[in-house]
Amino acid sequence: MKKLKNLKFILGIGVIAIYSILFVLIQTGTLNPYYGQILIVLGINIILAVSLNLVIGFTGQLALGHAGFMSIGGYTAAIMSLNYHLPFILSLVIGGLVSAVIGFLIGMPILRLKGDYLAITTLGFGEIIRVAIVNMDFLGGPRGLAGIPKKTNFTWVYFITLFTVIVIYNIIRSPYGRAMLSIREDEIASESMGINTTKHKMLAFVIASFFAGIAGGLYAHQFMFLDPKSFDFLKSFEILTFVVFGGMGSLSGSVMATTVLTYLPEILRAFAEYRMIIYAASLVILMLFRPQGIMGNKEINLKAIKEFILCKFGKCKRKGGVSNVTIEG
């Protein structure tokens, strides 16, 4: 029972154990290579969903151009690898930084808008980015960019995904994160309390753009080909679906929803003719019966897990015969 006091250490061991098991299964060929690729896609999707949730769920800004920043990071990282032969991690970082800079330049004029106006504007910028790429011959134009070296693997994706979740989790728990949450709840009240709302909205937007660029770089070096059509507004809506399905304002919800929505189409391949109908119907049913998403704006935290485990051993505190185990809001 003493080990439960060091739950963070146990969680760290669990993270390493999960990685080790999956790594061995992939390397030995025990796990079908197709499912290994789905694991990589899942990690990329989690990075996209968690980063977008920082803007939409925690800051309350409806931005719909995430696929555009993913494409910037993907093309930039690919060019760094193809033309300049930079190390993989350096290419990813440069792709993320270029996305962040573009996000900053775009965010300056548009983040003063709110609601539907912001959504339409960011959607428009995402399409502008895609059209610009189509008209750049050195990026392959409408033919796409081919010949990208395959450098993405399970190890890179696993630890970059873990890093993304940890960074954004700590941002949310920091004073900056609390300011973002106050903007989501009431922007006018936040301003009256002296919070620079434009600064904090910009910070969330730039951080999300950076991680979208990282995800784009991983995507480019996994599939070795980039097609501008892959980053249209439908891709932005797909990422938004992950966030809404899991719950806006919940990182654990984003991870769970992304896992479900990434694997559900693959599970339903046995019903090829009805696969997308079942997929869409599942989303509709969830929105009807739980419109706030799987987790709403709650998080499963270490304290709740610890208390849950303690209750299994009959060691938890109870109030009125009911366990006080909670999920962090």
Side-chain angles (χ1 to χ4, degrees):
M1 297 303 295
K2 292 182 180 180
K3 292 183 178 180
L4 291 174
K5 296 180 181 179
N6 201 5
L7 194 59
K8 289 184 179 180
F9 175 76
I10 296 174
L11 185 61
I13 295 297
V15 167
I16 298 299
I18 291 171
Y19 164 74
S20 301
I21 293 170
L22 290 174
F23 180 79
V24 170
L25 291 176
I26 292 171
Q27 291 297 110
T28 59
T30 305
L31 184 68
N32 189 311
Y34 174 75
Y35 292 109
Q37 180 169 297
I38 297 298
L39 276 174
I40 291 175
V41 172
L42 171 62
I44 294 171
N45 285 341
I46 289 175
I47 295 171
L48 291 167
V50 167
S51 58
L52 182 61
N53 207 347
L54 180 65
V55 177
I56 295 180
F58 293 99
T59 315
Q61 308 303 305
L62 185 56
L64 298 178
H66 219 48
F69 298 111
M70 180 185 178
S71 66
I72 292 172
Y75 275 94
T76 302
I79 290 298
M80 292 298 106
S81 293
L82 281 171
N83 296 352
Y84 300 99
H85 309 290
L86 294 181
F88 177 50
I89 188 63
L90 186 57
S91 296
L92 289 180
V93 172
I94 292 174
L97 290 175
V98 171
S99 293
V101 170
I102 300 297
F104 177 78
L105 296 175
I106 290 176
M108 281 195 297
I110 69 172
L111 285 178
R112 298 181 185 277
L113 301 173
K114 300 177 183 179
D116 296 340
Y117 299 103
L118 177 61
I120 293 169
T121 306
T122 52
L123 182 63
F125 271 110
E127 284 299 292
I128 289 172
I129 292 170
R130 185 184 64 82
V131 172
I133 290 172
V134 168
N135 288 279
M136 292 179 180
D137 289 336
F138 73 96
L139 295 179
R143 301 181 304 277
L145 185 63
I148 304 169
K150 183 175 174 58
K151 296 184 178 181
T152 299
N153 56 37
F154 173 72
T155 300
W156 280 114
V157 172
Y158 186 88
F159 286 105
I160 291 175
T161 301
L162 186 64
F163 173 76
T164 303
V165 173
I166 291 173
V167 167
I168 294 182
Y169 176 77
N170 281 283
I171 289 172
I172 294 163
R173 294 174 63 87
S174 72
Y176 290 101
R178 289 193 289 273
M180 292 173 190
L181 289 171
S182 71
I183 293 170
R184 180 190 70 185
E185 298 302 324
D186 194 322
E187 188 169 341
I188 295 175
S190 298
E191 288 179 346
S192 68
M193 293 299 292
I195 294 175
N196 187 334
T197 57
T198 301
K199 171 187 172 182
H200 287 87
K201 288 192 290 185
M202 179 69 77
L203 180 63
F205 197 69
V206 169
I207 292 171
S209 300
F210 172 79
F211 283 111
I214 295 291
L218 291 170
Y219 178 92
H221 289 86
Q222 169 64 20
F223 295 100
M224 299 177 288
F225 177 77
L226 289 174
D227 183 355
K229 295 178 182 177
S230 301
F231 305 105
D232 60 8
F233 70 94
L234 292 177
K235 182 64 177 179
S236 292
F237 280 117
E238 180 186 359
I239 303 168
L240 177 64
T241 302
F242 296 149
V243 176
V244 174
F245 191 89
M248 291 189 290
S250 173
L251 294 183
S252 51
S254 291
V255 173
M256 286 189 282
T258 305
T259 303
V260 171
L261 295 180
T262 299
Y263 278 97
L264 187 59
E266 307 306 321
I267 294 171
L268 295 174
R269 283 194 181 277
F271 309 95
E273 296 180 3
Y274 308 102
R275 182 167 63 98
M276 295 313 296
I277 296 175
I278 298 172
Y279 179 82
S282 302
L283 293 177
V284 171
I285 291 171
L286 179 76
M287 289 299 102
L288 286 175
F289 292 98
R290 191 169 175 79
Q292 69 270 38
I294 295 174
M295 293 294 295
N297 62 354
K298 300 181 184 299
E299 296 284 3
I300 298 176
N301 65 2
L302 294 176
K303 183 179 178 181
I305 295 173
K306 179 179 178 179
E307 290 183 2
F308 177 79
I309 296 173
L310 286 169
C311 284
K312 289 295 183 180
F313 290 93
K315 301 287 186 177
C316 62
K317 298 178 182 179
R318 297 179 180 272
K319 296 180 180 179
V322 180
S323 170
N324 66 340
V325 175
T326 57
I327 297 177
E328 182 182 272

